[in-house]
């Protein structure tokens, strides 16, 4: 995918307005209903092949943490790490 330039303000706006449920669906993540709660989702990591749900998404803050890889961040960083994208590619995705 060719890089499209996103100004800093647009990147921040994307971070603030990402629909996390759409992002989860777009990444093909299957939610672990037993472990998840109202404001948090647990799933298998999209960054590694874990055997148990080790990937946590906080729906209130939009942050995530992968206990299998000890990585975390926001929605754009998740897309970056999942697809090995640069920030502008993640924004375009």
């Amino acid at each position: 995918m060719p890089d499209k330039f996103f100004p800093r303000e647009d990147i921040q706006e994307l971070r603030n307005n990402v629909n996390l449920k759409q992002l989860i669906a777009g990444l093909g993540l299957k939610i672990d209903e037993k472990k998840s709660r109202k404001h948090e989702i647990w799933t298998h990591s999209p960054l590694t092949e874990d055997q148990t749900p080790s990937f946590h998404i906080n729906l209130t803050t939009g942050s995530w943490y992968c206990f299998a890889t000890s990585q975390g961040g926001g929605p754009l960083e998740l897309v970056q790490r999942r697809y090995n994208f640069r920030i502008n590619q993640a924004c375009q995705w």
Side-chain angles (χ1 to χ4, degrees), residues 1-4 6 79 83 85-86 88-93:
M1 150 183 345
D3 280 356
K4 176 183 173 189
F6 285 84
V79 174
Y83 296 112
F85 282 170
R86 291 182 296 278
N88 286 321
Q89 291 172 308
C91 289
Q92 192 171 349
W93 185 88

Side-chain angles (χ1 to χ4, degrees), residues 17-32:
N17 295 305
V18 166
N19 181 315
L20 293 172
K21 296 219 177 192
Q22 285 181 341
L23 177 64
I24 291 164
L27 292 171
L29 302 179
K30 185 178 176 194
I31 297 170
D32 183 313

Side-chain angles (χ1 to χ4, degrees), residues 57-74:
I57 301 171
N58 182 319
L59 296 175
T60 304
T61 65
S63 62
W64 59 272
Y65 189 78
C66 178
F67 289 90
T69 64
S70 299
Q71 297 179 60

Side-chain angles (χ1 to χ4, degrees), residues 26-75:
L27 292 171
L29 302 179
K30 185 178 176 194
I31 297 170
D32 183 313
E33 298 293 340
K34 291 180 184 177
K35 198 171 182 180
S36 297
R37 301 289 177 256
K38 184 177 180 179
H39 297 292
E40 66 178 7
I41 289 176
W42 286 89
T43 183
H44 290 275
S45 175
L47 308 177
T48 186
E49 294 183 22
D50 59 358
Q51 299 300 311
T52 60
S54 63
F55 193 82
H56 177 261
I57 301 171
N58 182 319
L59 296 175
T60 304
T61 65
S63 62
W64 59 272
Y65 189 78
C66 178
F67 289 90
T69 64
S70 299
Q71 297 179 60

Side-chain angles (χ1 to χ4, degrees), residues 74-89:
L76 294 178
E77 291 78 18
L78 175 55
V79 174
Q80 281 183 277
R81 291 203 178 89
R82 172 67 177 94
Y83 296 112
N84 198 27
F85 282 170
R86 291 182 296 278
I87 189 66
N88 286 321
Q89 291 172 308

